[in-house]
């Protein structure tokens, strides 16, 4: 029910918008430049509850992420483009979730539930002289990082269940960091959580901006008559 959850891009996707901020160390302010398209009611037509407007169950959202401090920006500065691809009926595929970061120097790919990160370095001009043809196989550099051992990845010295990469609510790692923050507060009086309330607010704001962008698109195309 979007009246209670803010719709799918807020309820389900605010965590991914939080990752946009975490990975880029940048912000999208006031929903500027956010563009989105979506489809509704594809996966949930069999459910007993029906709403005047079907559930949003697949979408593309693109947003520019800008430097957090204006003085860091120059005339040559350009935003980092962040893109969310949502599909609420992709179960049974190879990966439940994918996070991919691509830049001029290479590419990172992270997958769940595989729990691996793949790093690819872009061949330089010495390795790949003729750019009119694909790079030679010898120039392709790949590293694979196995992240299935959460104790090793997060530096935790106690037994910790592995995150399976599905909708299992909070993970053991998240609870571990929360308990550690509470313990530090008891001893020092300083409250420094790994993820702050403001981080959560900003992620929800991005979800709302994406939802508004979809409503605008739907109204312009005549899909819906009512507004937000």
């Amino acid at each position: 029910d979007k009246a209670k959850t803010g719709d799918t891009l807020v309820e389900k996707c605010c965590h991914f918008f939080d990752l946009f901020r975490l990975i880029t160390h940048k912000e999208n302010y006031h929903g500027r430049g956010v563009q989105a398209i979506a489809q509704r009611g594809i996966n949930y037509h069999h459910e007993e509850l029906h709403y005047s407007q079907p559930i949003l169950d697949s979408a593309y959202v693109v947003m520019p992420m800008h430097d957090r401090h204006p003085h860091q920006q120059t005339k040559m500065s350009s935003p980092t483009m962040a893109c969310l691809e949502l599909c609420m009926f992709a179960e049974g595929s190879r990966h439940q979730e994918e996070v991919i970061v691509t830049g001029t120097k290479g590419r990172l790919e992270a997958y769940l539930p595989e729990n691996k990160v793949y790093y690819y370095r872009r061949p330089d001009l010495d390795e790949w002289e003729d750019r009119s043809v694909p790079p030679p196989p010898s120039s392709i550099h790949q590293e694979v990082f196995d992240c299935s051992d959460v104790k090793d990845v997060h530096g935790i010295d106690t037994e910790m269940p592995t995150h399976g990469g599905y909708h299992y609510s909070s993970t053991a790692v998240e609870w571990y960091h929360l308990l550690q923050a509470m313990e530090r507060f008891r001893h020092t009086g300083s409250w420094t959580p790994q993820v702050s309330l403001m981080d959560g607010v900003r992620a929800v704001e991005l979800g709302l901006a994406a939802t508004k962008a979809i409503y605008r698109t739907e109204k312009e195309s005549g899909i819906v008559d009512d507004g937000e």
Side-chain angles (χ1 to χ4, degrees):
D1 188 343
K2 69 178 184 180
K4 299 177 181 178
T5 67
D7 216 335
T8 309
L9 291 179
V10 176
E11 178 194 2
K12 297 293 186 183
C13 301
C14 61
H15 312 291
F16 295 100
F17 296 133
D18 186 45
L19 284 178
F20 287 0
R21 301 176 62 249
L22 178 67
I23 292 171
T24 65
H25 296 280
K26 296 183 178 184
E27 301 282 356
N28 177 282
Y29 294 102
H30 311 297
R32 292 174 181 167
V34 175
Q35 300 182 50
I37 57 174
Q39 292 177 302
R40 296 178 178 273
I42 295 177
N43 189 48
Y44 298 98
H45 56 83
H46 61 280
E47 294 192 354
E48 294 182 1
L49 291 176
H50 294 282
Y51 304 99
S52 58
Q53 190 177 47
I55 294 174
L56 189 158
D57 50 18
S58 61
Y60 281 94
V61 179
V62 180
M63 62 180 65
M65 306 296 291
H66 298 276
D67 291 331
R68 289 176 174 171
H69 305 289
H71 69 270
Q72 295 177 346
Q73 299 180 12
T74 66
K75 291 183 178 179
M76 298 298 292
S77 296
S78 59
T80 299
M81 299 306 297
C83 177
L84 171 77
E85 178 185 359
L86 167 70
C87 182
M88 296 294 288
F89 44 91
E91 297 89 348
S93 56
R94 180 181 177 188
H95 297 115
Q96 167 74 14
E97 297 171 2
E98 303 176 0
V99 177
I100 298 174
V101 180
T102 305
T104 58
K105 295 183 179 180
R107 180 180 176 97
L108 287 169
E109 302 175 1
Y111 299 107
L112 280 175
E114 186 179 10
N115 278 311
K116 290 183 179 179
V117 175
Y118 294 82
Y119 164 63
Y120 300 93
R121 181 175 64 79
R122 187 185 186 192
D124 57 33
L125 291 174
D126 292 332
E127 299 168 311
W128 183 22
E129 296 181 4
D130 186 356
R131 296 290 172 117
S132 66
V133 298
S138 60
S139 69
I140 304 300
H141 301 275
Q142 172 187 291
E143 289 185 59
V144 182
F145 302 90
D146 189 344
C147 302
S148 56
D149 187 344
V150 293
K151 292 195 299 179
D152 179 60
V153 172
H154 296 276
I156 298 173
D157 57 4
T158 59
E159 289 299 320
M160 187 67 59
T162 297
H163 175 41
Y166 205 73
H167 295 296
Y168 294 135
S169 203
S170 302
T171 66
V173 172
E174 292 166 339
W175 279 101
Y176 174 85
H177 287 298
L178 174 60
L179 293 172
Q180 289 294 304
M182 293 170 63
E183 190 66 20
R184 285 193 300 270
F185 178 76
R186 291 193 188 98
H187 288 88
T188 67
S190 176
W191 179 248
T192 53
Q194 189 181 46
V195 181
S196 70
L197 174 62
M198 204 61 220
D199 289 326
V201 170
R202 293 292 296 118
V204 169
E205 287 176 346
L206 293 178
L208 291 172
T211 302
K212 289 181 179 179
I214 287 174
Y215 288 165
R216 286 196 300 269
T217 301
E218 291 179 333
K219 289 178 68 177
E220 290 170 359
S221 60
I223 296 176
V224 295
D225 296 324
D226 57 342
E228 302 155 11

